[in-house]
Amino acid sequence: MHQPFLLTILALALLAPPARAAVTTIVQAGQAFSETDITVHANDHVKFLNQDDVNHNILVQTGDDDDNARDMGVQPPGGAVDVLFDKTGKFLVRCHIHPSMKLAVTVQ
Ligand SMILES: [Cu+2]
């Protein structure tokens, strides 16, 4: 291994500005999310695109706790919903209309 080269890379990484919030896109098609399990960083966004011909309704739960679910409202066909994950933890994204739709989101 080329030690000076690695040190240069490390120095550049440390000098780089903080990473910007990323956006992960999840498609809703066939009454399913395109992923079942994702990991993002705090302050990242997840964008949900409804490519079905039926309404969806995103709920964001902390674990199995329904009481504090964030209800993102009815999402018509073709509609997009943007969800900001500003806290670390494990979340479960469900569809209020279709109980089989589930996406586990880990926020680091
Ligand atoms: Cu749905």
Side-chain angles (χ1 to χ4, degrees):
M1 274 292 174
H2 244 286
Q3 210 77 3
F5 178 70
L6 286 178
L7 287 175
T8 303
I9 297 288
L10 180 63
L12 286 174
L14 291 173
L15 289 172
R20 292 203 184 152
V23 178
T24 300
T25 300
I26 299 290
V27 170
Q28 298 144 302
Q31 298 186 16
F33 293 117
S34 55
E35 305 278 348
T36 57
D37 203 323
I38 60 171
T39 299
V40 300
H41 292 98
N43 295 315
D44 282 355
H45 294 249
V46 179
K47 190 175 186 180
F48 293 92
L49 299 178
N50 183 358
Q51 293 186 353
D52 275 319
D53 54 7
V54 295
N55 288 340
H56 291 300
N57 188 145
I58 299 280
L59 292 178
V60 184
Q61 298 176 206
T62 307
D64 294 328
D65 187 356
D66 245 336
D67 295 341
N68 295 317
R70 282 161 70 191
D71 187 339
M72 307 306 289
V74 173
Q75 178 190 10
V81 167
D82 183 276
V83 179
L84 167 66
F85 287 91
D86 59 351
K87 293 188 177 72
T88 58
K90 288 188 180 287
F91 301 87
L92 180 65
V93 174
R94 295 199 299 115
C95 177
H96 201 35
I97 301 168
H98 307 105
S100 64
M101 294 177 69
K102 289 177 184 169
L103 168 68
V105 179
T106 301
V107 184
Q108 297 179 332

